[in-house]
Protein backbone atom coordinates (compact mmCIF):
# COMPACT_ATOMS: atom_id res chain seq x y z
CA UNK A 1 0.00 0.00 0.00
CA UNK A 2 1.18 3.53 -0.82
CA UNK A 3 1.20 5.61 2.36
CA UNK A 4 0.97 8.97 0.59
CA UNK A 5 -1.99 7.83 -1.50
CA UNK A 6 -3.80 6.66 1.61
CA UNK A 7 -3.15 9.99 3.35
CA UNK A 8 -4.33 11.95 0.30
CA UNK A 9 -7.46 9.80 0.07
CA UNK A 10 -8.27 10.26 3.76
CA UNK A 11 -7.88 14.02 3.41
CA UNK A 12 -10.43 13.93 0.58
CA UNK A 13 -12.88 11.83 2.57
CA UNK A 14 -12.37 8.64 0.57
CA UNK A 15 -13.82 5.67 2.50
CA UNK A 16 -11.62 3.12 0.71
CA UNK A 17 -8.47 4.93 1.80
CA UNK A 18 -9.72 5.00 5.38
CA UNK A 19 -10.46 1.27 5.19
CA UNK A 20 -6.91 0.62 3.97
CA UNK A 21 -5.48 2.68 6.82
CA UNK A 22 -7.50 0.70 9.38
CA UNK A 23 -6.38 -2.55 7.77
CA UNK A 24 -2.79 -1.43 8.33
CA UNK A 25 -3.57 -0.63 11.97
CA UNK A 26 -5.10 -4.08 12.46
CA UNK A 27 -2.21 -5.90 10.81
CA UNK A 28 0.05 -8.19 12.84
CA UNK A 29 2.98 -7.36 10.55
CA UNK A 30 5.33 -4.83 12.19
CA UNK A 31 6.02 -2.96 8.93
CA UNK A 32 2.31 -2.41 8.20
CA UNK A 33 1.57 -1.45 11.80
CA UNK A 34 4.44 1.05 11.67
CA UNK A 35 2.97 2.55 8.49
CA UNK A 36 -0.35 3.00 10.29
CA UNK A 37 1.41 4.90 13.07
CA UNK A 38 3.14 7.11 10.50
CA UNK A 39 -0.23 7.95 8.94
CA UNK A 40 -1.60 8.97 12.34
CA UNK A 41 1.53 10.99 13.01
CA UNK A 42 0.95 12.89 9.75
CA UNK A 43 -2.50 14.03 10.89
CA UNK A 44 -1.43 14.74 14.46
CA UNK A 45 -3.86 15.10 17.33
CA UNK A 46 -7.42 15.70 16.13
CA UNK A 47 -9.83 17.59 18.38
CA UNK A 48 -13.56 18.20 18.34
CA UNK A 49 -14.76 14.62 18.05
CA UNK A 50 -17.29 12.90 20.31
CA UNK A 51 -16.96 9.18 21.00
CA UNK A 52 -19.95 7.06 22.01
CA UNK A 53 -19.59 3.48 23.23
CA UNK A 54 -22.59 1.16 23.04
CA UNK A 55 -22.68 -2.26 24.68
CA UNK A 56 -25.22 -4.76 25.92
CA UNK A 57 -25.94 -8.46 25.96
CA UNK A 58 -26.33 -10.35 22.66
CA UNK A 59 -29.83 -9.85 21.28
CA UNK A 60 -30.40 -6.52 23.00
CA UNK A 61 -30.59 -4.84 19.58
CA UNK A 62 -27.34 -2.86 19.45
CA UNK A 63 -26.92 -2.84 15.67
CA UNK A 64 -30.58 -2.11 15.01
CA UNK A 65 -30.42 0.76 17.49
CA UNK A 66 -27.31 2.23 15.88
CA UNK A 67 -29.01 2.13 12.49
CA UNK A 68 -31.77 4.51 13.63
CA UNK A 69 -29.78 6.42 16.24
CA UNK A 70 -27.01 7.22 13.75
CA UNK A 71 -29.49 8.86 11.38
CA UNK A 72 -30.93 10.90 14.25
CA UNK A 73 -27.49 12.12 15.33
CA UNK A 74 -26.61 13.16 11.78
CA UNK A 75 -29.91 15.04 11.44
CA UNK A 76 -29.10 16.94 14.64
CA UNK A 77 -25.49 17.53 13.53
CA UNK A 78 -25.63 17.66 9.70
CA UNK A 79 -22.07 18.99 9.40
CA UNK A 80 -20.53 16.15 11.41
CA UNK A 81 -19.89 12.83 9.65
CA UNK A 82 -20.48 9.58 11.53
CA UNK A 83 -18.19 6.55 11.81
CA UNK A 84 -19.34 3.24 13.30
CA UNK A 85 -16.82 0.66 14.49
CA UNK A 86 -18.60 -2.62 15.11
CA UNK A 87 -16.82 -5.47 16.91
CA UNK A 88 -18.07 -8.99 16.16
CA UNK A 89 -17.22 -12.05 18.27
CA UNK A 90 -14.77 -14.57 16.84
CA UNK A 91 -15.24 -18.31 17.09
CA UNK A 92 -13.05 -19.99 19.69
CA UNK A 93 -13.04 -23.07 17.43
CA UNK A 94 -12.37 -21.75 13.92
CA UNK A 95 -11.26 -18.22 14.78
CA UNK A 96 -13.67 -16.86 12.17
CA UNK A 97 -16.31 -14.15 12.53
CA UNK A 98 -19.57 -13.54 10.67
CA UNK A 99 -19.20 -9.72 10.64
CA UNK A 100 -22.96 -9.43 10.16
CA UNK A 101 -23.66 -6.26 12.14
CA UNK A 102 -23.43 -4.10 9.01
CA UNK A 103 -26.40 -5.95 7.48
CA UNK A 104 -28.57 -4.61 10.31
CA UNK A 105 -27.43 -1.07 9.51
CA UNK A 106 -28.79 -1.03 5.96
CA UNK A 107 -30.00 2.58 6.09
CA UNK A 108 -26.73 3.96 7.48
CA UNK A 109 -24.49 1.92 5.21
CA UNK A 110 -25.91 3.62 2.09
CA UNK A 111 -25.12 7.15 3.25
CA UNK A 112 -22.04 9.00 1.99
CA UNK A 113 -21.56 10.75 5.34
CA UNK A 114 -21.37 7.47 7.26
CA UNK A 115 -18.48 5.01 7.47
CA UNK A 116 -19.10 1.55 8.95
CA UNK A 117 -16.28 -0.84 9.75
CA UNK A 118 -17.01 -4.32 11.20
CA UNK A 119 -14.03 -6.01 12.87
CA UNK A 120 -13.54 -9.42 14.44
CA UNK A 121 -12.61 -9.44 18.12
CA UNK A 122 -10.14 -12.28 17.64
CA UNK A 123 -8.72 -13.50 20.95
CA UNK A 124 -8.92 -10.02 22.48
CA UNK A 125 -10.99 -9.80 25.67
CA UNK A 126 -13.03 -6.85 26.93
CA UNK A 127 -15.50 -6.51 24.06
CA UNK A 128 -13.15 -4.72 21.63
CA UNK A 129 -10.62 -5.85 19.05
CA UNK A 130 -6.85 -5.54 19.46
CA UNK A 131 -6.54 -2.17 17.73
CA UNK A 132 -10.00 -0.60 18.01
CA UNK A 133 -8.40 2.52 19.46
CA UNK A 134 -6.15 3.00 16.41
CA UNK A 135 -9.12 2.45 14.10
CA UNK A 136 -11.03 5.13 15.98
CA UNK A 137 -8.12 7.57 15.68
CA UNK A 138 -7.96 6.86 11.93
CA UNK A 139 -11.65 7.77 11.60
CA UNK A 140 -11.07 11.03 13.44
CA UNK A 141 -8.07 11.80 11.24
CA UNK A 142 -10.32 11.28 8.19
CA UNK A 143 -12.72 13.96 9.44
CA UNK A 144 -15.37 11.95 11.28
CA UNK A 145 -16.51 13.93 14.31
CA UNK A 146 -19.10 11.49 15.62
CA UNK A 147 -17.76 8.02 16.47
CA UNK A 148 -19.86 5.08 17.65
CA UNK A 149 -18.11 1.95 18.92
CA UNK A 150 -20.31 -1.13 19.26
CA UNK A 151 -18.79 -3.85 21.43
CA UNK A 152 -19.09 -7.61 21.07
CA UNK A 153 -21.83 -7.87 23.69
CA UNK A 154 -20.80 -10.55 26.16
CA UNK A 155 -21.92 -9.21 29.54
CA UNK A 156 -20.54 -7.71 32.74
CA UNK A 157 -16.89 -7.93 31.67
CA UNK A 158 -17.12 -5.38 28.87
CA UNK A 159 -15.80 -2.44 30.86
CA UNK A 160 -12.89 -1.59 28.57
CA UNK A 161 -15.19 0.43 26.32
CA UNK A 162 -15.34 3.05 29.08
CA UNK A 163 -11.58 3.53 28.57
CA UNK A 164 -12.07 4.32 24.89
CA UNK A 165 -15.09 6.63 24.58
CA UNK A 166 -16.42 9.90 25.97
CA UNK A 167 -19.88 8.49 26.68
CA UNK A 168 -20.83 4.94 27.60
CA UNK A 169 -24.35 3.70 26.74
CA UNK A 170 -25.58 0.38 28.16
CA UNK A 171 -28.41 -1.27 26.21
CA UNK A 172 -30.74 -3.55 28.15
CA UNK A 173 -33.53 -5.97 27.25
CA UNK A 174 -36.99 -5.91 28.89
CA UNK A 175 -37.19 -8.11 31.97
CA UNK A 176 -33.43 -8.43 32.05
CA UNK A 177 -32.90 -7.42 35.66
CA UNK A 178 -34.24 -6.25 38.99
CA UNK A 179 -32.92 -3.75 41.49
CA UNK A 180 -30.19 -6.14 42.66
CA UNK A 181 -29.04 -6.54 39.07
CA UNK A 182 -29.00 -2.76 38.79
CA UNK A 183 -26.51 -2.26 41.62
CA UNK A 184 -23.95 -4.81 40.42
CA UNK A 185 -20.49 -3.38 40.45
CA UNK A 186 -18.90 -3.21 37.03
CA UNK A 187 -20.56 -2.41 33.77
CA UNK A 188 -23.77 -0.86 35.17
CA UNK A 189 -22.11 1.73 37.36
CA UNK A 190 -19.80 2.77 34.52
CA UNK A 191 -22.68 3.61 32.17
CA UNK A 192 -23.52 7.27 31.50
CA UNK A 193 -26.90 6.28 30.06
CA UNK A 194 -28.98 3.12 30.44
CA UNK A 195 -31.44 2.31 27.66
CA UNK A 196 -34.10 -0.40 27.76
CA UNK A 197 -34.80 -1.40 24.17
CA UNK A 198 -37.77 -3.26 22.61
CA UNK A 199 -40.33 -1.07 24.41
CA UNK A 200 -43.12 -1.86 21.96
CA UNK A 201 -46.05 -4.26 21.62
CA UNK A 202 -46.27 -6.96 24.29
CA UNK A 203 -42.83 -6.01 25.66
CA UNK A 204 -43.67 -2.36 26.34
CA UNK A 205 -44.90 -2.81 29.92
CA UNK A 206 -42.01 -5.15 30.72
CA UNK A 207 -39.57 -2.54 29.38
CA UNK A 208 -41.13 0.16 31.53
CA UNK A 209 -40.85 -2.03 34.64
CA UNK A 210 -37.22 -2.84 33.87
CA UNK A 211 -36.42 0.85 33.38
CA UNK A 212 -38.11 1.70 36.68
CA UNK A 213 -36.09 -0.96 38.52
CA UNK A 214 -32.80 0.36 37.14
CA UNK A 215 -33.83 3.95 37.88
CA UNK A 216 -34.61 3.02 41.49
CA UNK A 217 -31.20 1.37 41.79
CA UNK A 218 -29.31 4.47 40.62
CA UNK A 219 -29.43 6.14 44.04
CA UNK A 220 -27.57 3.15 45.51
CA UNK A 221 -24.64 3.62 43.16
CA UNK A 222 -21.72 5.94 44.00
CA UNK A 223 -21.78 9.45 42.55
CA UNK A 224 -19.78 9.85 39.36
CA UNK A 225 -16.54 11.82 39.40
CA UNK A 226 -17.92 14.26 36.83
CA UNK A 227 -21.16 14.90 38.70
CA UNK A 228 -23.30 13.57 35.86
CA UNK A 229 -26.38 11.63 36.97
CA UNK A 230 -27.02 8.70 34.59
CA UNK A 231 -30.57 8.43 33.29
CA UNK A 232 -32.65 5.42 32.30
CA UNK A 233 -34.66 5.60 29.07
CA UNK A 234 -36.90 3.25 27.12
CA UNK A 235 -37.09 3.00 23.34
CA UNK A 236 -37.82 0.71 20.44
CA UNK A 237 -35.14 0.58 17.78
CA UNK A 238 -37.26 -1.69 15.57
CA UNK A 239 -40.26 0.66 15.62
CA UNK A 240 -38.17 3.86 15.87
CA UNK A 241 -39.93 4.92 19.06
CA UNK A 242 -38.29 7.55 21.33
CA UNK A 243 -35.01 7.37 19.42
CA UNK A 244 -35.19 11.16 19.15
CA UNK A 245 -35.27 11.39 22.97
CA UNK A 246 -32.24 9.11 23.17
CA UNK A 247 -30.32 11.27 20.68
CA UNK A 248 -31.25 14.41 22.64
CA UNK A 249 -29.98 12.87 25.87
CA UNK A 250 -26.69 11.93 24.20
CA UNK A 251 -26.27 15.54 23.05
CA UNK A 252 -27.16 16.75 26.56
CA UNK A 253 -24.29 14.69 27.89
CA UNK A 254 -22.02 16.01 25.16
CA UNK A 255 -22.79 19.60 26.20
CA UNK A 256 -22.25 18.68 29.85
CA UNK A 257 -18.92 16.95 29.21
CA UNK A 258 -17.40 19.35 26.68
CA UNK A 259 -14.28 20.96 28.04
CA UNK A 260 -12.82 19.76 31.33
CA UNK A 261 -14.75 16.48 31.65
CA UNK A 262 -13.75 15.10 28.25
CA UNK A 263 -10.22 16.49 28.62
CA UNK A 264 -9.62 14.78 31.97
CA UNK A 265 -11.30 11.57 30.77
CA UNK A 266 -9.10 11.32 27.69
CA UNK A 267 -5.95 12.02 29.72
CA UNK A 268 -6.81 9.12 32.03
CA UNK A 269 -7.61 6.94 29.02
CA UNK A 270 -4.28 7.78 27.39
CA UNK A 271 -2.45 6.57 30.50
CA UNK A 272 -4.56 3.39 30.54
CA UNK A 273 -3.69 2.57 26.92
CA UNK A 274 -0.03 3.44 27.43
CA UNK A 275 0.16 0.89 30.24
CA UNK A 276 -1.78 -1.71 28.27
CA UNK A 277 0.32 -1.32 25.14
CA UNK A 278 3.56 -1.42 27.11
CA UNK A 279 2.47 -4.61 28.86
CA UNK A 280 1.44 -6.22 25.57
CA UNK A 281 4.75 -5.27 23.92
CA UNK A 282 6.85 -6.47 26.84
CA UNK A 283 4.98 -9.76 27.06
CA UNK A 284 5.59 -10.24 23.33
CA UNK A 285 9.31 -9.60 23.86
CA UNK A 286 9.55 -12.00 26.78
CA UNK A 287 7.59 -14.71 24.97
CA UNK A 288 10.15 -14.60 22.16
CA UNK A 289 13.02 -15.30 24.54
CA UNK A 290 14.23 -18.88 24.56
CA UNK A 291 13.98 -20.91 27.72
CA UNK A 292 17.66 -20.33 28.52
CA UNK A 293 17.19 -16.54 28.73
CA UNK A 294 13.81 -16.72 30.48
CA UNK A 295 15.46 -18.14 33.55
CA UNK A 296 17.18 -14.78 34.10
CA UNK A 297 13.91 -12.84 34.47
CA UNK A 298 10.70 -12.87 36.45
CA UNK A 299 8.60 -12.50 33.30
CA UNK A 300 5.27 -12.46 35.15
CA UNK A 301 6.04 -9.38 37.24
CA UNK A 302 8.55 -7.34 35.25
CA UNK A 303 6.25 -5.99 32.45
CA UNK A 304 3.76 -4.47 34.86
CA UNK A 305 6.50 -2.96 37.03
CA UNK A 306 8.36 -1.40 34.08
CA UNK A 307 5.12 -0.08 32.56
CA UNK A 308 4.14 1.51 35.84
CA UNK A 309 7.48 3.25 36.24
CA UNK A 310 7.46 4.51 32.66
CA UNK A 311 3.92 5.87 33.00
CA UNK A 312 5.06 8.03 35.92
CA UNK A 313 7.83 9.60 33.83
CA UNK A 314 6.04 10.14 30.52
CA UNK A 315 3.91 13.27 30.21
CA UNK A 316 0.63 12.44 28.48
Amino acid sequence: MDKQKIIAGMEQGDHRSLSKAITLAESSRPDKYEMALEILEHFGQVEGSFRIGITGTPGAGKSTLINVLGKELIDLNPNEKLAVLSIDPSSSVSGGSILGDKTRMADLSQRDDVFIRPTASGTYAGGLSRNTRLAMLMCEAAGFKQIIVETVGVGQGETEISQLTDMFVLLLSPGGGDELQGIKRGIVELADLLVVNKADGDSEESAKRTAKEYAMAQHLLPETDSGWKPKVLTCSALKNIRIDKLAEEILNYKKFAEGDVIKSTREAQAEFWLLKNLQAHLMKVFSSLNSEHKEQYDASALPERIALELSKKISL
Side-chain angles (χ1 to χ4, degrees), residues 51-73:
R51 308 164 179 173
I52 305 165
I54 296 181
T55 192
T57 56
K62 297 186 295 297
S63 299
T64 304
L65 177 71
I66 292 171
N67 186 52
V68 290
L69 175 62
K71 181 179 181 301
E72 197 71 34
L73 290 173

Side-chain angles (χ1 to χ4, degrees), residues 17-268:
S17 296
L18 175 56
S19 293
K20 290 179 180 179
I22 294 176
T23 298
L24 290 172
E26 293 173 344
S27 176
S28 58
R29 285 181 48 177
D31 58 329
K32 293 185 179 296
Y33 183 79
E34 184 64 30
M35 187 184 295
L37 295 181
E38 290 173 0
I39 291 172
L40 285 176
E41 186 178 5
H42 168 84
F43 287 98
Q45 186 172 354
V46 179
E47 298 181 350
S49 65
F50 185 62
R51 308 164 179 173
I52 305 165
I54 296 181
T55 192
T57 56
K62 297 186 295 297
S63 299
T64 304
L65 177 71
I66 292 171
N67 186 52
V68 290
L69 175 62
K71 181 179 181 301
E72 197 71 34
L73 290 173
I74 293 173
D75 289 343
L76 292 171
N77 299 281
N79 296 322
E80 296 185 355
K81 296 189 296 181
L82 172 70
V84 178
L85 301 176
S86 175
I87 315 302
D88 271 12
S90 296
S91 169
S92 59
V93 178
S94 66
S97 182
I98 297 175
L99 300 178
D101 285 341
K102 192 172 181 178
T103 63
R104 291 186 289 273
M105 303 179 195
D107 297 331
L108 277 185
S109 62
Q110 297 181 33
R111 298 183 59 128
D112 293 334
D113 52 359
V114 176
F115 173 80
I116 301 175
R117 172 77 176 203
T119 303
S121 63
T123 59
Y124 195 86
L128 304 174
S129 67
R130 186 172 62 92
N131 284 322
T132 301
R133 184 169 183 266
L134 286 186
M136 181 185 68
L137 294 176
M138 287 292 188
C139 291
E140 292 176 347
F144 290 88
K145 295 299 184 182
Q146 301 185 91
I147 313 290
I148 294 179
V149 181
E150 177 196 1
T151 72
V152 168
V154 295
Q156 290 280 336
E158 284 196 26
T159 57
E160 196 166 274
I161 186 66
S162 65
Q163 297 289 351
L164 188 71
T165 55
D166 303 316
M167 183 180 192
F168 179 27
V169 179
L170 176 60
L171 195 62
L172 306 163
S173 296
D178 52 22
E179 190 165 345
L180 289 177
Q181 178 75 9
I183 62 174
K184 276 188 177 179
R185 294 296 183 258
I187 198 167
V188 173
E189 68 177 359
L190 290 174
D192 300 303
L193 182 62
L194 289 82
V195 181
V196 183
N197 191 24
K198 305 181 181 180
D200 59 75
D202 295 338
S203 299
E204 185 172 3
E205 289 304 316
S206 177
K208 289 181 179 178
R209 286 196 302 271
T210 301
K212 185 177 180 181
E213 289 163 358
Y214 275 93
M216 290 173 62
Q218 288 301 303
H219 71 277
L220 299 175
L221 296 175
E223 186 175 333
T224 62
D225 294 337
S226 66
W228 170 261
K229 295 181 179 180
K231 294 184 180 180
V232 184
L233 304 179
T234 62
C235 73
S236 170
L238 188 63
K239 301 293 185 180
N240 202 353
I241 298 173
R242 287 185 289 279
I243 300 300
D244 56 339
K245 300 298 182 183
L246 171 56
E248 287 176 11
E249 194 59 33
I250 288 175
L251 293 185
N252 286 339
Y253 180 85
K254 180 182 179 182
K255 292 177 183 177
F256 167 85
E258 278 179 335
D260 293 341
V261 174
I262 288 181
K263 182 176 182 293
S264 60
T265 298
R266 292 193 180 184
E267 286 176 350

